[in-house]
Amino acid sequence: MPKRVRTTASAAVLRAEFWQAPSEALLDRKTAAAGMGYTVGWLEWVATQGGGPVLTKIGRSVRYRKSDILAWLEANSRRIHSTAELGDRG
């Protein structure tokens, strides 16, 4: 019996897939993590602890709507003009 060859998409391919997807696309955890710049492990952790983007369960599969990810990134990031502003955490 031949061995099954498992191929994994590189982070760059997954990022490209994320940004090319329509806003209502349901993305798997690997693609969502790559598009956000986070790890799959972090997404798994916040799925159980709370605080991450909204997820959708379809049976046993977890999916993230691209529009929910972009909304979460907008709500949980801040724009700065200089790294000197990072000293002010308030």
Side-chain angles (χ1 to χ4, degrees):
M1 177 179 243
K3 288 187 178 182
R4 293 172 69 186
V5 177
R6 180 176 272 200
T7 59
T8 57
S10 71
V13 171
L14 291 172
R15 266 192 306 276
E17 185 179 321
F18 176 87
W19 289 108
Q20 291 171 358
S23 65
E24 293 305 311
L26 290 173
L27 306 169
D28 63 18
R29 200 169 259 160
K30 284 183 182 181
T31 307
M36 295 174 69
Y38 286 86
T39 64
V40 171
W42 182 85
L43 277 177
E44 291 170 345
W45 186 79
V46 295
T48 60
Q49 303 298 313
V54 174
L55 59 90
T56 301
K57 291 268 304 192
I58 302 171
R60 295 163 85 184
S61 299
V62 173
R63 297 291 183 259
Y64 294 88
R65 193 172 310 278
K66 182 180 174 183
S67 59
D68 291 336
I69 293 170
L70 295 176
W72 184 87
L73 286 170
E74 182 67 28
N76 291 281
S77 62
R78 63 182 174 151
R79 295 178 59 114
I80 60 169
H81 296 284
S82 167
T83 56
E85 294 177 33
L86 294 176
D88 177 27
R89 289 287 190 178

